Amino acid sequence: MTTTLTLKSGTSWADAWRRCLAVAPEAFRDDRVLNLWNAGWQADGRPLPATSPVDGSPVAGPPRLDGATAHRAVRAALDQHRAWRHVPLAERRARVAATLDALAAHRDLLALLLVWEIGKPWRAARADVDRALDGVRWYVDGIEAMTAGRAPLDGPVSNIASWNYPMSVLVHALLVQALAGNAVIAKTPTDGGVACLTLACALAAREGVPVTLVSGSGGELSEALVRAPEIGCVSFVGGRDTGAAVATAVTGLGTRHILEQEGLNTWGVWNYSDWDTLAATIPGLFDYGKQRCTAYPRFVVQRELFDAFLAAYLPAVRTLTLGHPLAVERRTDPYPRLDFGPVINAAKAKELHDQVAEAIDRGAVPLYRGSLADGRFLPGQDTSAYVRPVTLLHPPPSSPLHHAEPFGPVDTIVLVDTEAELLAAMNASNGALVATLSTDDRATFDRLAPHIRAFKVGHGRPRSRGDRDELFGGFGASWRGAFVGGELLVRAVTRGPAGERLPGNFPEDRLTS
């Protein structure tokens, strides 16, 4: 007997919006969010309509500014920066610590906004908030040593980030940059997260942290947020096409920069036999529908192991659960535990469907195709942003799935016969953020890993961005500019001794340690 699901009590978008209005009335109006600049909330910009990927229902859209207003916001941020950089470190620590306390007090509301705006299952949404809070607290505790002998930049830090991790990537970066003595500017991602970011920035602004939050198209605002002479550093997280344009601009201007870009993260399997461990790992690799910069969408498998690989992989992938992140049997039930919900929007879902169909039409072999019929959905809800898990063998070279990150629950497998083919297939995208090689022999791993063009390479286990003191960066086209992680994030947004060379990936001068 099929159970009819219902929405968990108190979790509707209307419930979340009412709570936002009560918590931060200065930042939210009845029908829209505001922009934050010149130390005040501004009812400017043209709000765009937006829908939730969860069920296609309306949510708050970004209030898009024009370029001229964005320039005014940047100039105002410079004024804030010139004052903030002289605030004693003890006071900066106190204000950022107070912000963390305020964010923690509204942890569940921030997570609920992430569910509705970008489709994160509840567990993943809570983890995004918690990683931001825990990560920044680590910097608050250790900032004195990290800033010793260093000074803030000459201008504010401009942050342009993708939609998938508003808290643990963007808010985390903003607060650490401010802690180091910089005013900070953030552009809200066009595809989602505006209400969550608005609430987080409202709580920071109340504590006197100099934050600017603006919305607008990348093309309209890039002149101000990337090229303006007032900007001290540009921090970017996103795709390679946009990242390349940002890289060209900041390199020509000599602006300090941190540019994290996508890459095809790969998992190699060579002379391997611990299939139980691999099988247990597979479901976790689909976390948030592989909409992560450190997701693994490509397996490169030794041909003679392919049957054993499939025997481990297919039963594991069949256990995946997807659906509405807030759908429960009874309204008082706990949040459902899902591997993933929707992708970011219906357009992305269609793009993935089309790419899979085209790859199969051109010769890829479908090994697994899940079904939305097995998903957890409310009666009659819009499911246009949901994508069933798919696994393809040998996507053709003409397919985007052959060389690019799909950013969705689509796995591809490539078979190889030699170590040279293994390395070539694992390096298909000219640089990646992470990679993994599963091999029984540690000596084989130690010999092959240095030839894999990923910043972090795991031995039989997935790698991630890391937290706290773990270094993070990228090789090849997956990164440009200064590396981050641990004290390197603070070094990237402060000035040290004359002639200092930051560790990073630069066109003419790469340092890796």
Side-chain angles (χ1 to χ4, degrees), residues 4 52 81 109 122 133-134 155 174 206 218 229 265-266 361 363 425 430 433 437 442 455-456 477-478:
T4 300
S52 170
H81 179 84
L109 176 54
W122 180 251
L133 301 184
D134 294 344
L174 294 176
R206 283 182 183 176
N265 304 317
T266 59
D361 185 60
N430 183 27
L433 301 175
L437 178 60
R442 180 71 200 200
F455 192 76
K456 294 181 178 180
S478 66

Side-chain angles (χ1 to χ4, degrees), residues 151-486:
L153 300 176
D154 294 334
V157 182
S158 177
N159 293 267
I160 303 168
S162 56
W163 45 264
N164 53 340
Y165 283 90
M167 291 296 297
S168 62
V169 173
L170 184 51
V171 170
H172 177 278
L174 294 176
L175 293 179
V176 175
Q177 292 160 7
L179 183 63
N182 303 287
V184 292
I185 305 169
K187 175 187 174 298
T188 60
T190 302
D191 286 328
V194 61
C196 178
L197 287 169
T198 299
L199 179 59
C201 289
L203 297 175
R206 283 182 183 176
E207 303 301 336
V209 177
V211 58
T212 294
L213 181 68
V214 294
S215 296
S217 71
E220 184 80 12
L221 301 194
S222 63
E223 193 67 31
L225 301 185
V226 175
R227 298 178 177 85
E230 294 91 346
I231 298 297
C233 177
V234 175
S235 177
F236 169 86
V237 180
R240 288 193 177 184
D241 290 344
T242 303
V246 173
T248 299
V250 295
T251 301
L253 294 168
T255 305
R256 187 170 296 198
H257 53 283
I258 306 161
L259 311 180
E260 177 188 330
Q261 300 168 130
E262 64 189 11
L264 183 62
N265 304 317
T266 59
W267 191 299
V269 179
W270 188 263
N271 292 340
Y272 182 69
S273 62
D274 189 5
W275 301 111
D276 289 343
T277 296
L278 182 65
T281 304
I282 294 299
L285 300 182
F286 279 84
D287 180 53
Y288 193 32
K290 301 209 172 193
Q291 297 176 103
R292 299 178 290 120
C293 64
T294 54
Y296 288 84
R298 166 68 51 81
F299 289 90
V300 181
V301 181
Q302 189 175 4
R303 189 182 304 274
E304 66 179 51
L305 299 180
F306 185 45
D307 57 340
F309 172 85
L310 282 185
Y313 176 90
L314 289 176
V317 79
R318 290 189 182 110
T319 68
L320 294 173
T321 56
L322 76 157
H324 191 304
L326 304 171
V328 292
E329 280 77 16
R330 293 174 296 276
R331 289 174 58 81
T332 57
D333 282 351
Y335 290 91
R337 292 181 65 86
L338 303 172
D339 292 298
F340 58 95
V343 296
I344 187 58
N345 52 44
K348 179 62 181 179
K350 183 179 185 305
E351 175 188 291
L352 289 168
H353 290 313
D354 291 346
Q355 287 179 349
V356 168
E358 182 182 51
I360 293 172
D361 185 60
R362 295 182 180 181
V365 178
L367 298 176
Y368 176 75
R369 285 185 276 197
S371 171
L372 292 188
D374 300 325
R376 295 173 54 89
F377 299 110
L378 299 179
Q381 78 158 81
D382 185 331
T383 60
S384 59
Y386 291 80
V387 177
R388 61 183 179 174
V390 175
T391 308
L392 302 179
L393 176 66
H394 282 303
S398 59
S399 168
L401 298 176
H402 178 80
H403 54 78
E405 182 180 14
F407 234 62
V410 178
D411 273 349
T412 58
I413 301 172
V414 172
L415 304 182
V416 295
D417 296 297
T418 67
E419 290 183 355
E421 290 177 322
L422 173 79
L423 293 172
M426 293 189 72
N427 293 331
S429 68
N430 183 27
L433 301 175
V434 297
T436 291
L437 178 60
S438 289
T439 181
D440 292 340
D441 181 34
R442 180 71 200 200
T444 299
F445 175 82
D446 291 341
R447 178 168 49 82
L448 296 178
H451 301 285
I452 298 172
R453 297 284 292 162
F455 192 76
K456 294 181 178 180
V457 181
H459 184 194
R461 62 185 182 89
R463 299 302 306 270
S464 69
R465 288 180 63 94
D467 289 309
R468 302 180 179 182
D469 59 352
E470 188 173 347
L471 179 67
F472 191 62
F475 288 146
S478 66
W479 196 279
R480 290 288 186 271
F483 292 154
V484 297

Side-chain angles (χ1 to χ4, degrees), residues 80-136:
Q80 288 182 295
H81 179 84
R82 287 170 171 165
W84 178 253
R85 70 196 305 257
H86 297 296
V87 171
L89 177 58
E91 184 175 344
R92 299 201 306 263
R93 287 182 63 185
R95 293 190 189 184
V96 172
T99 299
L100 294 175
D101 291 342
L103 292 170
H106 299 289
R107 171 195 187 208
D108 285 357
L109 176 54
L110 291 163
L112 183 58
L113 293 170
L114 292 178
V115 173
W116 281 109
E117 293 192 285
I118 61 174
K120 288 202 169 189
W122 180 251
R123 181 178 51 172
R126 286 275 294 265
D128 192 16
V129 177
D130 290 345
R131 284 186 67 181
L133 301 184
D134 294 344
V136 179

